[in-house]
Amino acid sequence: MVTTDEKGPLTAKKKSVIIRSCDGDEFLVSESAAVLSTSLKKILEEKEDRLIHLSDIDNKTLAMVIAYLSTHADDGLSDDLKRSFDQEFVSGKEFDVLKYLVLATDTLQVTCLCYTVAKKMADIMKNKLVEWVRREFDIQNDYTPEAEAEIRRLDAWAWDDRQLEDD
Amino acid sequence: MESNKKAAVVVVQLPTEILEEILSRLRVKDLIRFKSVCKTWCQVISSQHLIQQHLNKSVFRAIHYERWVFGPCKSFITPKEKLPRDNLMEFVGSCDGLVCRYNRTQGIIHLSNPAINDDEYKLIIGNTSHMHLIRPYIDNGSWKSTQKIQKTYRYFERIGTLYNGTVHWPVNGSYALSSCTILSYDLQQETIGEIPGPPMIRQTHHSFTIGEVIGCLSAMLLNNKFYEIWVMKEYGIRES
């Protein structure tokens, strides 16, 4: 997916950037969208080259972030429309996808997208089993069985198994 | 799918800041359960920083830091001790998930935080002549500091209102309502002060309470017919 955002011949001439994902796909982005990311803004201020290579963001995730940035750079859209875009943007996405998205917002320093995604992830994590969390976050349990039993015993009230979900 | 797998090799764990962003949006019950995910999560969840972040996002923020007990106190039960079953405890107040209860007949104060232990709380206990400050989690039941109150006051309310790091009680210097003032206790400086009450207080008023309205210290007066609310726009200045 390639996003172009041309506002006229004058701005288009110098104001666009090419961003390359870790798997080699290239995206053409308007500079006004790119600078909404604090790290891209810094890179653009420092170097003349209009090609940015991101070594830890894959094409799928990058395409999503760019769609987000382009929408938020559009002055023609009202704040309300942008807000409902944000809701649409995260709804229905799998947890795994959100995890890579939130990591990309960290790398690219896009604070408002980070908050939106973090909120969505927290909503999904509600009532989930600890085992589910370990699986989704790829976390190794480093407690001994005794230590884990003890920690669960201390806060027994939070463990109402009837409500907890594993998917 | 393919590309996600590739990225998983590069990034194994979420950075702590990102983890905090997610965790601070969870409900307390989920947070407590997730302490057993792994040691790192337990550390992050129990950290002062996350507690503060969580509170900042919480809807219930009417009371900011602490609340107070006022009454005779003989002993103090530290938060980790279990309460005897037959004790009838009176609910005094709560803030930031900390619950304070008080037993009138035995003079026991009990503090508990059902969720996360936190040693930053301060408790003020006082009578007509002195105020004692305790940090329940640190001082193990002994007074940290004691301040003498210069004048004798009559208290309108047992429980003070916290505003701007200082606890306030509506008090009366004599028995005339016109001499109503606000007694204050600065938690940082550990000093007692007095600020003037609302200017229009009269004999017809028979109740004087204080609270926080739109971020300002305010006083509510009640007479036979209606309530009057005074908002002190500039702290400590009567006319504002």
Side-chain angles (χ1 to χ4, degrees):
Chain A
M1 183 181 130
V2 174
T3 311
T4 48
D5 185 6
E6 289 177 34
K7 290 212 169 119
L10 274 177
T11 48
K13 203 165 66 184
K14 52 176 185 151
K15 299 287 185 190
S16 50
V17 191
I18 294 166
I19 304 176
R20 188 189 289 158
S21 68
C22 68
D23 29 21
D25 287 2
E26 290 184 354
F27 299 83
L28 184 69
V29 187
S30 76
E31 193 171 313
S32 61
V35 295
L36 293 178
S37 142
T38 312
S39 11
L40 290 181
K41 189 176 176 213
K42 266 187 210 144
I43 297 173
L44 289 173
E45 278 164 3
E46 280 164 16
K47 69 176 205 176
E48 281 297 296
D49 195 2
R50 300 277 104 176
L51 175 71
I52 298 173
H53 182 73
L54 298 170
S55 58
D56 50 7
I57 301 178
D58 63 85
N59 57 0
K60 257 173 69 183
T61 310
L62 187 57
M64 286 187 271
V65 178
I66 288 171
Y68 175 90
L69 293 177
S70 305
T71 306
H72 279 257
D74 187 345
D75 293 333
L77 292 177
S78 69
D79 286 350
D80 276 350
L81 277 171
K82 285 177 187 171
R83 261 194 293 277
S84 54
F85 168 84
D86 289 358
Q87 290 313 311
E88 276 293 296
F89 187 74
V90 288
S91 79
K93 283 198 169 47
E94 285 185 16
F95 198 76
D96 212 38
V97 173
L98 294 171
K99 205 172 71 184
Y100 289 108
L101 206 50
V102 83
L103 276 168
T105 66
D106 186 47
T107 312
L108 294 171
Q109 293 176 279
V110 191
T111 319
C112 42
L113 179 58
C114 173
Y115 293 166
T116 312
V117 178
K119 172 83 178 70
K120 180 68 186 174
M121 289 174 85
D123 288 348
I124 296 176
M125 287 163 76
K126 194 174 147 185
N127 280 335
K128 288 288 192 272
L129 282 170
V130 166
E131 289 74 17
W132 182 93
V133 174
R134 286 191 192 129
R135 207 166 51 232
E136 289 293 326
F137 282 90
D138 210 0
I139 292 171
Q140 211 62 40
N141 178 12
D142 55 359
Y143 284 113
T144 61
E146 295 78 29
E148 193 183 342
E150 176 64 9
I151 215 165
R152 291 190 184 207
R153 191 186 62 80
L154 284 175
D155 297 304
W157 66 275
W159 296 84
D160 187 351
D161 281 335
R162 281 166 303 174
Q163 292 173 11
L164 304 181
E165 302 156 6
D166 197 23
D167 50 58
Chain B
M1 238 22 241
E2 194 57 40
S3 57
N4 278 353
K5 271 182 192 141
K6 215 170 183 176
V9 179
V10 183
V11 190
V12 184
Q13 289 289 323
L14 291 178
T16 308
E17 311 87 74
I18 295 287
L19 190 58
E20 284 180 338
E21 281 303 331
I22 300 166
L23 295 178
S24 62
R25 289 170 165 80
L26 284 169
R27 303 174 312 166
V28 173
K29 194 172 174 176
D30 294 312
L31 264 186
I32 298 302
R33 220 171 45 249
F34 295 160
K35 283 205 293 195
S36 61
V37 166
C38 66
K39 288 175 184 167
T40 315
W41 275 46
C42 183
Q43 251 172 30
V44 173
I45 291 169
S46 314
S47 74
Q48 189 60 41
H49 187 236
L50 190 83
I51 294 168
Q52 206 49 53
Q53 262 189 311
H54 196 269
L55 287 169
N56 289 346
K57 293 187 178 81
S58 167
V59 185
F60 305 102
R61 289 195 63 211
I63 305 155
H64 285 264
Y65 286 86
E66 293 118 81
R67 283 217 105 179
W68 329 99
V69 188
F70 227 60
C73 169
K74 289 183 205 137
S75 69
F76 194 79
I77 299 180
T78 53
K80 290 193 176 100
E81 288 170 50
K82 279 263 181 324
L83 265 185
R85 270 266 166 98
D86 54 348
N87 265 345
L88 270 174
M89 302 300 278
E90 183 183 331
F91 177 77
V92 179
S94 76
C95 73
D96 289 4
L98 190 78
V99 179
C100 184
R101 290 175 294 178
Y102 171 63
N103 182 307
R104 195 180 287 274
T105 49
Q106 295 179 35
I108 299 172
I109 290 168
H110 177 255
L111 281 181
S112 64
N113 187 335
I116 305 155
N117 284 345
D118 182 359
D119 55 15
E120 285 294 305
Y121 291 98
K122 292 175 182 172
L123 177 77
I124 311 277
I125 300 169
N127 54 27
T128 45
S129 61
H130 290 90
M131 287 216 188
H132 310 284
L133 176 76
I134 306 176
R135 294 168 305 174
Y137 289 80
I138 303 170
D139 303 331
N140 210 10
S142 60
W143 307 135
K144 188 200 172 240
S145 75
T146 299
Q147 299 287 326
K148 189 157 176 31
I149 305 171
Q150 297 303 325
K151 287 196 266 179
T152 309
Y153 294 105
R154 202 165 60 92
Y155 292 88
F156 285 97
E157 273 186 72
R158 291 195 307 139
I159 300 169
T161 299
L162 183 82
Y163 174 74
N164 202 16
T166 306
V167 199
H168 300 85
W169 292 270
V171 292
N172 195 342
S174 65
Y175 283 92
L177 254 172
S178 52
S179 62
C180 280
T181 53
I182 297 164
L183 186 67
S184 67
Y185 188 101
D186 188 315
L187 289 172
Q188 280 301 314
Q189 309 290 327
E190 293 169 17
T191 51
I192 292 172
E194 195 184 298
I195 53 174
M200 293 301 283
I201 198 153
R202 284 181 303 270
Q203 289 296 346
T204 48
H205 291 117
H206 44 68
S207 151
F208 173 32
T209 54
I210 55 175
E212 192 187 323
V213 176
I214 48 166
C216 299
L217 190 69
S218 61
M220 186 165 83
L221 304 170
L222 172 70
N223 64 23
N224 290 330
K225 286 184 187 132
F226 45 83
Y227 287 104
E228 282 173 34
I229 295 179
W230 287 83
V231 179
M232 190 177 271
K233 286 184 183 153
E234 219 169 307
Y235 183 75
I237 298 172
R238 186 182 199 163
E239 282 71 31
S240 67

